[in-house]
Amino acid sequence: MFVDESKINVKGGDGGAGCKSFRREAHVPRGGPDGGNGGNGGDVVLQGDPSLSSLVDYKFKRHFKADRGIHGKGSQMHGANGEDIILKVPLGTIARDSETGEMLADITQPGERVVLARGGRGGRGNIQFVTPTRRAPAFAELGEPTYERWMTLEMKLMADAALVGFPSVGKSSLIARISAAKPKIADYPFTTLVPNLGVVRAGEYSFVVADVPGLIEGASEGKGLGHAFLRHIERSAAIVHMVDLTGGYEQRDVVDDLAVITNELERHAQELADRPTIIVGNKIDMPGTAEASERLAARCAELGLTYFAISTITGQGIDPLVLHLGNLVHDLRLVAAEDAQTYEKVYVPAVRSRDRTFEVQRTGSHAFEVTGRGIERMVIMTEMQNEEALAYLQRRFSKIGLEKALQDAGAQDGDDITIAAITFEFEGVGAVEDVDDVEDFDDVEEVVESEETPDLEEFAEESAHDAESDSADES
């Protein structure tokens, strides 16, 4: 079954919770905290696989969720990271966010990988919150939850040459004659409903040809499944435009046929009009086609296009066409190799941890809402039933300038402040201990302008930074 489009739901694994634990054993008085960190959740990764030719694996199974991280344990035992899910797709697959339409991935190389849904960060154990003045922290972080998203996968065939034209002009007959492909061939229009690929040998070169289903006038507007077929031409290096010299069932004019299909290609994508194109007049063996072939050849000469007259039944003119096409593809490959850029293997979508930007909005006379990826993560990963954890969260709010931003927005004591669906009662800066010693952060912004590049060493840096700052706060 050939499937070139699918919609899937992906979700990274949640982070494991950190452990609140104390070392307790004989002859070790005051062993101190020893809770380990939770493991990071697994990622959902898209990977190019040249052995695949369809998205059929994603037609019936549509939901993919990576494993969650394992919770931390006592004795400084850190939880294991969740296992990634690898979604293998054919080369030429594009992944888009179904809600926004943003293109997140374009898989064109074998082994190329793109992270579609990143796993949540594991929570820190209580051993990570030890400072010279906080010797026995009785709290730990919860794991970071992740969010699911719907993705649209769209495959565009990657062929060296694409056979295009009206239905029943002989495209399937040609690919069957010059390659080992076995497409369905019959004497009625739209015999071919899905693209076919064939490998062609031309002297010392070989190349891949795609047989694209027949196009009709209005294909660029979606008529006759035009959009579904035209997208498979976009990645082809060259276009072989076939014309029926007999005029087909409708007795069409060959010059008009050339103009109609050329116009549809140009309207679908302007770059297709500039792509190297070969015009092929088929069925030259039929009576009365010599005049039509001459008229078509004359028109091609005016347009500066190469023309071949062939017969897929007798084989007339096919060998020169294949040799010319092989040389053309070889030259195009050399040009593409010179223009090729350095290939980066792994792409990771935006932002992780130190995103401390946030936005304050008034939602009522005595109500405010605070939004921002980083600040929402702080709240979600805090154990709300633990007073010591809440006090630590309050100090973090002070450090990132949240209380000052709320006061600037008009917040007063007793107002409701909502962050990540959790409502707090606002207390002014005067209610916070050690506020004079709070460190200022230069990267704090009240409105999100841009997102930072993810830092793979960020977890360790943030832990050390918080510990140092807390030490300064409480000393």
Side-chain angles (χ1 to χ4, degrees):
M1 179 184 295
F2 182 84
V3 178
D4 59 1
E5 190 170 9
S6 183
K7 190 175 181 180
I8 62 174
N9 180 278
V10 296
K11 184 180 186 297
D14 296 334
C19 177
K20 179 183 68 176
S21 173
F22 294 89
R23 182 181 180 187
R24 300 182 184 281
E25 58 182 280
H27 312 298
V28 183
R30 299 177 182 178
D34 67 351
N37 301 330
N40 296 329
D43 300 333
V44 179
V45 182
L46 206 65
Q47 178 175 308
D49 187 342
S51 66
L52 300 178
S53 60
S54 172
L55 295 174
V56 67
D57 292 340
Y58 308 104
K59 180 175 177 61
F60 303 106
K61 180 175 172 56
R62 296 178 181 270
H63 292 262
F64 300 91
K65 180 180 178 181
D67 292 341
R68 67 168 300 144
I70 304 301
H71 300 320
K73 297 182 180 180
S75 302
Q76 301 185 37
M77 291 191 293
H78 303 311
N81 295 332
E83 186 175 352
D84 296 342
I85 286 185
I86 307 296
L87 306 181
K88 295 185 178 181
V89 295
L91 303 185
T93 297
I94 293 176
R96 301 181 187 274
D97 188 297
S98 297
E99 183 176 347
T100 64
E102 177 188 4
M103 187 176 77
L104 302 177
D106 187 0
I107 304 295
T108 59
Q109 301 288 340
E112 185 174 358
R113 305 180 70 191
V114 177
V115 179
L116 294 183
R118 194 162 188 177
R121 196 191 75 188
R124 291 173 287 178
N126 64 336
I127 194 174
Q128 300 293 334
F129 299 99
V130 174
T131 68
T133 56
R134 190 199 299 129
R135 304 303 299 272
F139 67 95
E141 277 185 337
L142 303 177
E144 178 187 3
T146 57
Y147 303 95
E148 62 182 23
R149 65 194 309 184
W150 282 95
M151 309 290 299
T152 299
L153 302 181
E154 176 185 328
M155 187 188 75
K156 298 180 179 180
L157 291 178
M158 298 184 65
D160 296 307
L163 304 179
V164 303
F166 275 93
S168 296
V169 296
K171 300 184 295 298
S172 297
S173 299
L174 177 60
I175 196 174
R177 181 145 192 132
I178 64 179
S179 73
K182 302 296 181 184
K184 182 179 180 180
I185 301 174
D187 59 350
Y188 54 85
F190 294 107
T191 307
T192 302
L193 297 178
V194 297
N196 296 296
L197 291 177
V199 179
V200 182
R201 185 74 184 179
E204 57 181 320
Y205 307 125
S206 62
F207 56 94
V208 178
V209 173
D211 168 23
V212 179
L215 304 175
I216 62 174
E217 189 171 2
S220 59
E221 300 173 358
K223 293 182 179 179
L225 297 178
H227 290 312
F229 298 156
L230 283 167
R231 71 163 172 257
H232 293 296
I233 307 173
E234 295 177 9
R235 296 184 184 273
S236 300
I239 297 175
V240 179
H241 184 174
M242 296 190 66
V243 179
D244 187 347
L245 296 177
T246 67
Y249 295 103
E250 303 88 354
Q251 293 298 304
R252 301 183 305 268
D253 182 77
V254 291
V255 176
D256 291 343
D257 276 12
L258 175 61
V260 168
I261 299 300
T262 300
N263 181 56
E264 295 302 326
L265 294 177
E266 183 177 350
R267 293 177 63 184
H268 176 72
Q270 179 60 40
E271 61 181 15
L272 294 180
D274 303 326
R275 196 151 303 177
T277 303
I278 298 174
I279 308 302
V280 176
N282 188 27
K283 306 181 183 179
I284 190 63
D285 58 310
M286 296 294 289
T289 57
E291 181 183 354
S293 179
E294 291 176 0
R295 292 178 54 239
L296 185 57
R299 180 56 179 164
C300 290
E302 295 175 3
L303 299 175
L305 301 174
T306 305
Y307 173 72
F308 289 89
I310 69 167
S311 170
T312 56
I313 300 299
T314 66
Q316 178 182 344
I318 289 182
D319 289 342
L321 168 64
V322 171
L323 289 173
H324 178 82
L325 188 56
N327 291 326
L328 174 62
V329 168
H330 176 69
D331 294 340
L332 293 174
R333 284 175 176 172
L334 293 179
V335 173
E338 294 176 357
D339 297 338
Q341 299 179 354
T342 303
Y343 164 57
E344 296 291 341
K345 183 179 180 182
V346 179
Y347 299 85
V348 179
V351 209
R352 252 297 290 204
S353 271
R354 299 205 60 150
D355 180 3
R356 297 181 182 272
T357 57
F358 58 87
E359 181 178 0
V360 177
Q361 294 181 335
R362 179 185 287 271
T363 58
S365 58
H366 296 284
F368 296 83
E369 182 178 12
V370 181
T371 57
R373 183 189 297 261
I375 199 167
E376 290 176 1
R377 183 187 299 113
M378 291 181 189
V379 173
I380 292 172
M381 298 178 69
T382 298
E383 187 179 357
M384 294 299 166
Q385 292 75 28
N386 189 310
E387 292 186 2
E388 191 172 342
L390 288 174
Y392 177 75
L393 178 64
Q394 180 75 358
R395 285 193 293 273
R396 298 189 75 184
F397 283 167
S398 299
K399 293 174 187 177
I400 65 174
L402 174 60
E403 294 183 356
K404 183 178 183 302
L406 286 168
Q407 288 182 329
D408 292 343
Q412 299 179 357
D413 289 356
D415 288 353
D416 291 336
I417 311 298
T418 301
I419 308 175
I422 298 177
T423 301
F424 302 86
E425 182 178 333
F426 181 68
E427 295 181 1
V429 176
V432 183
E433 298 179 359
D434 301 329
V435 70
D436 294 336
D437 296 331
V438 169
E439 179 182 353
D440 292 329
F441 283 78
D442 296 332
D443 60 343
V444 173
E445 301 177 8
E446 294 184 19
V447 179
V448 179
E449 295 292 347
S450 61
E451 296 183 333
E452 301 176 3
T453 304
D455 186 356
L456 298 180
E457 298 179 355
E458 180 175 315
F459 176 80
E461 293 177 359
E462 187 178 58
S463 300
H465 185 78
D466 288 337
E468 294 172 3
S469 300
D470 290 336
S471 175
D473 292 344
E474 300 178 9
S475 61

